[in-house]
Amino acid sequence: MFCFQCEQTAAGSACTGKAGVCGKKADTAALQDQLTSQLIDLAISARGNERYLTPAIDKMVLECLFATVTNVNFDDHVLTQLIDRVEREKARFNDKHSCQHDGCQSSTNYDISQLWNSNEDIRSLKSLILFGIRGMSAYAYHANVLGYHDKEVARFFYKALCAIGSQDAEMDTLLPVVLETGAINLRCMELLDKANTETFGTPEPRQVSLTVEKGPFIVISGHDLYDLKELLKQTDGTGINIYTHGEMLPAHSYPGINKYPHLKGNFGTAWQNQQTEFADIPAPVLFTTNCLMPPKPSYIDRVFSTEVVAYPGVTHIGEKRNFTPVIQKALSLGGYAKDMHFTGINGGKSVMTGFGHCTVLSAADTVIAAIKEGMIRHIFLVGGCDGAKPGRNYYTEFVQKAPEDSLILTLACGKYRFNDLNLGTIGGLPRLLDMGQCNDAYSAIKVAQALADAFQCSVNDLPLTLVLSWYEQKAVCILLTLLHLGIKNIWLGPTLPAFLSPNVLDFLVEKYNITPVSTPENDLTKMLSH
């Protein structure tokens, strides 16, 4: 196998052995590469005939790309089925819609190994595009589930796949596609934000308990709010309580979801701790999206999946979302005999969430006044992915050592390193504002742009620093969006992506001043000196 799409890739270079660090086996990696190759073939076949693409084909492309994101699909049988679907669609497409324009390839047999073995700069730029659209496919998929579509977003996936499969692409032709990936992802995140708020209401700040009450319960993880809503409806009146986990925490802030009284709180911390945290809980766990770690034999019978998540031996809930097997398992296990008072990593008994762009911007006058009066000297956005690799305690220490006259915005599961800390208030606001998950990065962008407008300057001139941690492909597409917006001075860690060649990295450093994190003390000194 050859895989270097996540931050924890072996030796900071690439996973090349019998299995990846994420637990993905070489055979599974090969099937995911084959699936990607088939998608590139389909995109090349469709070039010049985009008018014949249908919403059903678009949905299939999203599902297939999403299945290749880290910690989503480990099931060879499911991946083989997806490959067969794409092959059949490509065959039908070629039979019915032969390409008419000059230079069109109506049929091809692209092999993704051509990408892994190509010139390192070309490989680097194509990898940015590929990993970017894999991450973006997750956002588009979630919006699609709620009935929200964007034709421009859908069509870009084919354009990007064609760029990846191009045999004569050069750096100067790939760089614009890299930045366009960021531009389209911004449009995609805006679509998802609209889908979530129009479906479930505008997020509101909410204190979320970390206590699990006695009696049967279900833990639900991932990002898909529709799955949670359906689970809440089907468990209403059963005596089963529901607890979010990991990426699902922000669901508590949506009025259309928190109206259910049996949505009780949050269990556990970030995704990489699940093998320990799920080991002996007397309840089932439902995964709606990534990040699934290979379940241990001791609890695999209590794990269920939906959507594109799949793992051998795990019961999968189909598109009709009949959660009866999960409910029956919860009732049979019975839950705890008494209330269990869990805490966050730092000992906190509850966490806050729900500071989306509408909430923060409603207090914009307060923030602006506090900045002008010197009460808020600086704003730090400390967000991104969490992971098991050493070095991520940097983000906890950074938040703890940030000056008391600074405001901390956070999003994504990296916040579990510090979201149970009590940092006090500033200017009438909590110093730590949880804006949601990676799906909610649009909120951070909206707030930054609003502050720039208020101070009549660019985002780069604000007393604002972005300190980002990355792990998988959704972090890649968010980074590309920030670059598309021209945002500079981003601090990135805990390590830089293995797929960035020295020349591409030099370009990003020179043009955007992307800086690798070092130590909280040194970095804070530099950030506050500008």
Side-chain angles (χ1 to χ4, degrees):
M1 68 183 294
F2 179 89
C3 185
F4 60 175
Q5 69 177 5
C6 85
E7 189 270 335
Q8 292 183 176
T9 193
S13 177
C15 294
T16 57
K18 295 182 179 179
V21 173
C22 67
K24 178 174 59 181
K25 295 180 180 179
D27 290 345
T28 305
L31 287 172
Q32 292 186 347
D33 277 357
Q34 186 180 347
L35 178 57
T36 303
S37 298
Q38 289 294 333
L39 289 172
I40 292 172
D41 281 353
L42 175 63
I44 292 173
S45 298
R47 189 165 53 191
N49 288 294
E50 289 83 356
R51 64 189 181 279
Y52 297 117
L53 293 168
T54 66
I57 300 175
D58 295 342
K59 181 181 178 182
M60 179 192 69
V61 170
L62 293 182
E63 184 175 346
C64 292
L65 284 171
F66 197 177
T68 63
V69 171
T70 304
N71 293 93
V72 174
N73 195 313
F74 297 80
D75 195 315
D76 292 358
H77 177 67
V78 174
L79 292 169
T80 300
Q81 289 181 322
L82 292 175
I83 291 168
D84 291 342
R85 283 175 59 190
V86 179
E87 286 182 332
R88 290 195 301 269
E89 195 59 59
K90 184 180 70 171
R92 284 196 294 267
F93 203 91
N94 287 332
D95 288 342
K96 294 181 180 179
H97 314 297
S98 59
C99 189
Q100 302 298 320
H101 69 81
D102 293 339
C104 177
Q105 295 172 272
S106 61
S107 181
T108 183
N109 289 293
Y110 183 80
D111 184 347
I112 197 72
S113 64
Q114 297 175 47
L115 170 56
W116 309 142
N117 296 314
S118 61
N119 168 274
E120 66 174 357
D121 293 330
I122 299 301
R123 181 180 72 175
S124 184
L125 292 174
K126 287 187 175 183
S127 294
L128 276 168
I129 297 169
L130 175 59
F131 303 155
I133 63 171
R134 282 178 174 176
M136 183 165 59
S137 72
Y139 301 146
Y141 185 93
H142 294 316
N144 190 285
V145 166
L146 298 176
Y148 286 73
H149 315 270
D150 185 312
K151 190 173 182 179
E152 184 174 342
V153 171
R155 293 298 169 265
F156 179 75
F157 286 105
Y158 301 96
K159 177 179 180 178
L161 288 165
C162 282
I164 296 164
S166 173
Q167 301 298 316
D168 54 1
E170 300 291 341
M171 288 188 68
D172 58 352
T173 60
L174 289 172
L175 272 171
V177 184
V178 170
L179 294 178
E180 189 178 1
T181 304
I184 298 298
N185 184 59
L186 177 61
R187 186 180 180 108
C188 188
M189 287 195 297
E190 182 179 20
L191 178 70
L192 179 57
D193 179 80
K194 179 180 180 181
N196 283 337
T197 55
E198 290 186 354
T199 304
F200 305 110
T202 301
E204 301 168 345
R206 195 167 180 90
Q207 194 85 28
V208 182
S209 172
L210 302 182
T211 293
V212 176
E213 298 179 13
K214 66 179 181 179
F217 67 98
I218 297 170
V219 175
I220 180 169
S221 190
H223 304 80
D224 202 289
L225 299 178
Y226 182 75
D227 282 339
L228 173 57
K229 179 70 173 291
E230 289 300 304
L231 180 64
L232 287 166
K233 288 167 60 177
Q234 292 179 37
T235 51
D236 194 15
T238 64
I240 298 173
N241 291 327
I242 306 299
Y243 294 85
T244 57
H245 168 266
E247 295 84 356
M248 194 63 80
L249 171 63
H252 289 273
S253 63
Y254 288 92
I257 293 177
N258 63 39
K259 67 180 183 181
Y260 291 91
H262 60 299
L263 177 63
K264 292 292 186 176
N266 190 74
F267 173 82
T269 53
W271 66 272
Q272 78 278 358
N273 300 319
Q274 63 189 256
Q275 290 179 328
T276 299
E277 294 175 344
F278 296 162
D280 57 4
I281 62 170
V285 182
L286 176 64
F287 282 89
T288 66
T289 58
N290 64 311
C291 299
L292 170 69
M293 291 189 72
K296 292 185 176 181
S298 61
Y299 68 88
I300 193 170
D301 66 313
R302 294 187 276 111
V303 176
F304 298 81
S305 65
T306 65
E307 308 289 355
V308 298
V309 186
Y311 192 90
V314 166
T315 300
H316 187 78
I317 306 298
E319 289 187 5
K320 293 184 179 180
R321 293 177 175 81
N322 181 352
F323 292 116
T324 299
V326 192
I327 293 170
Q328 291 175 339
K329 178 64 74 171
L331 292 172
S332 67
L333 292 169
Y336 292 111
K338 62 179 182 178
D339 292 354
M340 299 294 290
H341 301 287
F342 296 102
T343 65
I345 289 177
N346 303 288
K349 297 179 180 179
S350 65
V351 293
M352 282 285 289
T353 191
F355 290 94
H357 60 88
C358 290
T359 296
V360 176
L361 292 180
S362 69
D365 291 344
T366 301
V367 175
I368 292 167
I371 294 174
K372 289 181 177 180
E373 294 170 9
M375 295 176 63
I376 297 178
R377 177 171 38 145
H378 207 85
I379 301 174
F380 296 102
L381 172 62
V382 186
C385 310
D386 204 355
K389 194 173 181 179
R392 290 181 180 269
N393 59 324
Y394 167 94
Y395 298 93
T396 307
E397 295 176 13
F398 184 95
V399 169
Q400 290 174 321
K401 293 177 180 179
E404 292 185 0
D405 56 356
S406 64
L407 190 66
I408 310 292
L409 306 179
T410 188
L411 51 79
C413 59
K415 65 173 172 278
Y416 279 103
R417 296 272 171 173
F418 50 78
N419 68 337
D420 63 323
L421 290 171
N422 183 2
L423 300 182
T425 61
I426 184 171
L429 293 170
R431 277 193 60 219
L432 179 61
L433 302 178
D434 175 16
M435 308 189 80
Q437 281 308 118
C438 55
N439 290 23
D440 305 298
Y442 179 71
S443 280
I445 292 170
K446 288 282 287 183
V447 169
Q449 291 176 329
L451 289 175
D453 290 342
F455 285 98
Q456 297 183 333
C457 66
S458 73
V459 171
N460 296 321
D461 295 323
L462 289 170
L464 169 69
T465 302
L466 278 63
V467 188
L468 306 181
S469 57
W470 80 282
Y471 174 73
E472 44 92 358
Q473 296 75 68
K474 284 178 284 183
V476 175
C477 64
I478 291 171
L479 176 63
L480 296 183
T481 293
L482 296 174
L483 300 184
H484 154 71
L485 292 170
I487 296 176
K488 300 181 179 181
N489 306 315
I490 298 170
W491 296 69
L492 187 64
T495 60
L496 294 178
F499 52 81
L500 290 181
S501 68
N503 287 333
V504 172
L505 178 59
D506 287 345
F507 169 80
L508 295 177
V509 170
E510 180 179 352
K511 186 171 177 63
Y512 299 101
N513 196 27
I514 290 180
T515 305
V517 299
S518 58
T519 66
E521 297 87 351
N522 291 341
D523 294 347
L524 278 166
T525 298
K526 293 177 182 178
M527 294 170 188
L528 294 171
S529 66
H530 294 295

